[in-house]
Every structure is written in structure tokens, then in C-alpha cells.
Amino acid sequence: MAQNLIYSINGPVVTIKGKTGLSMMEMVHVGNDHLVGEVIRMDEELTTIQVYEETSGLAPGEPVTTTGGPLCVTLGPGILRNIYDGIQRPLPALEKESGPFIARGCNIPSLDPDAKWDVTVTVKVGDKLVPGQVYATCPETPVILHKCMAAPGMEGTVTWVVENGSYTVNDTVVRITDKSGKERELTLCQKWPIRRPRPVQARMPAQRPLITGMRVVDTMFPIAKGGAAATPGGFGTGKTMTQHQLAKWCDADIIIYVGCGERGNEMTQALTEFGELIDPKTGRPLTDRTVLIANTSNMPVAAREASIYTGITLAEYYRDMGYHTAMMADSTSRWAEALREISGRLEEMPADEGYPAYLPSRLAEFYERAGYVRALNGEEGSVTVIGAVSPPGADFSEPVTQNTKRFTR
């Protein structure tokens, strides 16, 4: 197959001309620096890619190479206590690699490949392994036991298991033979496409309250575990502080905090405060059960659009282990603005206030991933989504606020 070359560049949007062999939503590496991108539109003449990194310096004629799969996150021990950008690159590791500003093309593993985990294998040779079944556990932090589960579609008979001991996320711990007789190796981690919800056995009624730790919220605006809520308000009205308080004191097992297009100083405040706070439930630092996704306003706009999907995929993963997770998205308005900017560069027909016509369906898809469920392995868990909305000028009649109110009710 002929090499795919960049034909045109418009901000974070790159096009290739002619037949490419790529498919929709496929993850690609763009240019000589191997910038991360995703195919978002295709027709007979042009293939359009949105790039999740800064495109300055990129030139027509540079190559585009496929990764052979969709944009995925890596799921395994080591997620908790970490700080990621919008496409799950660990910011502490990026700082060591490139300094205080993220260099382009830094493709660092999401999980530390050298960290060792005390693994207990929970299956034995001859067992039948089905999707969602736990085959190994390890203490991820002193308060959270990480359960390594067979990915959806992974099924077979266990033919080999490793002895209990210390292993890295990429070490093979179990081998199975599937129905076709092919041997498959299972490590401590798996990959999952961020835009596809993880499958469950059943969605259940959301009947258990999420105690937020703030009496005024619990009294006037109660929320159930597995529910969806929004915190709308103009600039400076306290949405971010409310989200911080919810993250600190609510009775969820795992907190996923997504700073989507927010100011850098607000994320810095969250990082420093969460590190100093003692969790009232466990008496340990709050970071032992927290993941932070920092995609601040000066980071590439396309990665902002991906960041909330990254966050909710991590939340669904811990939900499938039987944990109750709460995801704070601050702010979905910045995410919608990223959608609007990319839509404008794609020359799509604008709808209300310049937002794309598919804004309501994207918001609905996002909030519908909340829920109280029975996972494939029979465990009960939940994802509660609490999104902040920042309407310009505190105008609650604008499309993002109206549609969010409609879907969160």
C-alpha cells in the first residue's frame, strides 16, 4: 500500500488525499514527530484527521501511519494517584521527559512499565474464563484492590498460570485457549476504545443515594449513585469549588476529576489540595483513590474533546470491579467549545450559537454512560457523572446549558 502523506493542514485538522486504507475512528500517527490523531471523516477524495497535539511546524508531504486500532486507553494497576492529560499520557512522566512544557510526539506509556505489583492469581488451570471474570488481583493503593478482568470478547479455558508474586503490567500472568484453539496471553492490563461504553449485564434502578458531604446539596438537590447531575453557573460563581468539595467528601469509592479546558491555576489547586487532604473514610491521603485528568485551556483543543471520554472510560473500568465511581467534568462548556472549533474547521453547517447540530446527541451519549449496573462478572457498581456548565454571561438559555438540563433532569 502506498504511503499516506499529508495534503492540507487547518489547525488541529489534517487531511490526506486519495485512497488511504484507513477506517473511521482509527488512531494514527501524524508527521515525522508521530503526533497522535484520529480519523473523523472520510469520502472518496479526502480523509480527515483530528490531531490531539500542537500542529505548528507540521508540513504537507509528511507521512501518516496507522496504529491499526481506535483511540484507546490502557486499563490496569497504576491509574490511581496518577495525573493524565486528555489522551491518557502521564504528566509527571512527561515532565521528566520534556520539562515543564509538553514536547510534541511524546508517546510515553500510560502505565509505568517498570512498576512491580504483588499479584494474586484467582484462576487455576482447567478453569473456564468468561468475559468480565477476575483472573488476578493486586493492591493498587492501600485502600483499593485492583481486579484484573477478562476483556469483553475474551473467553476460553485456562492452560497456564503464573505463581503469585511481583510482576509488571506487561508480564503474562495467565494463558487461555479460545474456542478456535488459539492461545491468548493475559497481562495485568488491557486496552479499551474511549468512545465505546463498556458492556454490562443489566442497568439497574439508581436507588442508593450518593452522600455528597454537603448538607445543602443532600437536602435540596440529592443525587443517586449512578445518576447524572449538572452544576451550571456564570464565571466565578463557585462551580469549580463545588466540584472540589464533592470530590473531597462524597462517599464514592473512586474519584475521577477531569479538568476540561479549565485554567491551570484551578488544576494546580486541585492537585495540591488533594495531595494534602486526609480521606475521612480511610485516614489516608485522598489521592489513594483519585485520578486527575488535566487538560487545561492552553493545551491542544482536540485533546480537550477526548478528555471527558478518557475520564468516563476509566470510571467504567473501576465500576466493573464493583466500585462506586464519581466523575467530575469541569467544564462541559469548554468541551462543547472544542467541538464547535473543530466543527468550524471541518466547515460543517452550524446550529444554535455556532455549535454543531450534533451537540445534543454528543451530550446525551456522554451523560447516558452514567448508571448503576450489574457488570459482566455479576458485581454491582456505578458511575455518577457531575458536570459543570459555564454559560457565557450566565445565560442559561444557551444550547449547552439547555441540553445538559434536559439530559440530567
Side-chain angles (χ1 to χ4, degrees):
M1 188 176 68
Q3 190 178 33
N4 297 320
L5 302 176
I6 295 172
Y7 173 67
S8 72
I9 304 159
N10 179 5
V13 176
V14 167
T15 56
I16 311 171
K17 205 166 188 181
K19 294 198 170 175
T20 61
L22 301 173
S23 54
M24 274 295 284
M25 311 318 288
E26 188 168 340
M27 181 178 158
V28 294
H29 288 141
V30 179
N32 298 322
D33 289 334
H34 297 283
L35 310 182
V36 176
E38 184 180 28
V39 177
I40 55 170
R41 189 164 73 185
M42 305 183 84
D43 58 32
E44 290 180 350
E45 295 181 3
L46 294 175
T47 298
T48 307
I49 295 162
Q50 68 178 359
V51 181
Y52 291 116
E53 300 183 60
E54 181 57 54
T55 54
S56 24
L58 204 62
E62 289 191 34
V64 176
T65 53
T66 178
T67 61
L71 182 65
C72 294
V73 289
T74 306
L75 303 170
I79 292 172
L80 294 180
R81 291 180 173 159
N82 223 325
I83 308 156
Y84 292 112
D85 73 351
I87 50 174
Q88 212 205 5
R89 295 184 301 176
L91 293 178
L94 281 174
E95 185 185 21
K96 288 179 189 170
E97 178 95 3
S98 64
F101 295 98
I102 302 173
R104 301 187 319 144
C106 277
N107 293 316
I108 290 176
S110 304
L111 304 177
D112 185 351
D114 301 321
K116 295 256 182 167
W117 302 94
D118 293 327
V119 176
T120 305
V121 179
T122 57
V123 293
K124 58 185 187 295
V125 174
D127 284 358
K128 178 92 170 150
L129 195 71
V130 296
Q133 184 177 337
V134 177
Y135 58 83
T137 62
C138 61
E140 184 170 2
T141 70
V143 296
I144 297 294
L145 181 71
H146 193 102
K147 303 170 187 174
C148 300
M149 302 167 289
M154 184 72 74
E155 192 171 350
T157 305
V158 177
T159 56
W160 176 87
V161 298
V162 80
E163 289 183 5
N164 295 343
S166 293
Y167 300 97
T168 68
V169 288
N170 295 318
D171 288 338
T172 301
V173 294
V174 174
R175 289 197 188 106
I176 65 169
T177 302
D178 62 17
K179 290 178 182 174
S180 62
K182 185 179 176 184
E183 188 172 74
R184 312 279 287 271
E185 296 187 342
L186 303 183
T187 63
L188 298 182
C189 63
Q190 58 177 272
K191 289 191 177 290
W192 188 261
I194 61 173
R195 298 184 194 279
R196 191 194 310 162
R198 288 177 64 87
V200 296
Q201 266 189 36
R203 288 176 74 93
M204 302 165 71
Q207 295 174 330
R208 294 174 62 179
L210 179 79
I211 307 302
T212 65
M214 291 185 283
R215 281 177 290 186
V216 66
V217 175
D218 288 335
T219 305
M220 307 297 292
F221 308 103
I223 180 172
K225 285 180 177 174
T231 314
F235 306 124
T237 52
K239 300 180 303 299
T240 298
M241 294 313 298
T242 303
Q243 296 263 34
H244 285 192
Q245 296 305 312
L246 288 167
K248 290 172 193 171
W249 310 120
C250 78
D251 69 341
D253 300 315
I254 310 275
I255 302 294
I256 317 280
Y257 191 95
V258 183
C260 174
E262 285 303 296
R263 293 180 289 278
N265 61 339
E266 291 183 349
M267 284 311 298
T268 306
Q269 185 183 359
L271 294 176
T272 52
E273 280 190 12
F274 282 25
E276 293 166 357
L277 278 171
I278 299 301
D279 186 353
K281 289 206 301 187
T282 63
R284 290 195 49 84
L286 192 65
T287 45
D288 280 358
R289 56 185 187 91
T290 305
V291 189
L292 289 156
I293 297 174
N295 200 261
T296 51
S297 50
N298 63 332
M299 288 181 172
V301 70
R304 190 186 306 172
E305 191 266 333
S307 62
I308 65 167
Y309 295 109
T310 298
I312 202 153
T313 303
L314 298 182
E316 287 176 341
Y317 178 59
Y318 283 99
R319 172 204 70 190
D320 290 351
M321 294 182 203
Y323 293 117
H324 297 286
T325 62
M327 175 181 156
M328 315 294 162
D330 185 18
S331 136
T332 53
S333 293
R334 304 285 88 77
W335 168 75
E337 285 167 12
L339 271 186
R340 178 166 64 183
E341 181 173 330
I342 294 164
S343 172
R345 293 185 187 277
L346 292 172
E347 300 176 4
E348 294 170 338
M349 186 69 76
D352 292 349
E353 296 194 19
Y355 289 105
Y358 48 78
L359 172 69
S361 61
R362 290 285 178 87
L363 279 167
E365 280 172 14
F366 170 62
Y367 282 108
E368 281 300 315
R369 287 176 73 168
Y372 195 104
V373 305
R374 184 182 298 114
L376 295 178
N377 54 18
E379 295 274 10
E380 288 187 13
S382 67
V383 175
T384 308
V385 176
I386 302 165
V389 188
S390 315
D395 173 19
F396 280 27
S397 66
E398 59 89 44
V400 182
T401 312
Q402 285 298 312
N403 285 302
T404 301
K405 284 168 67 178
R406 188 171 130 214
F407 299 128
T408 60
R409 291 189 293 178

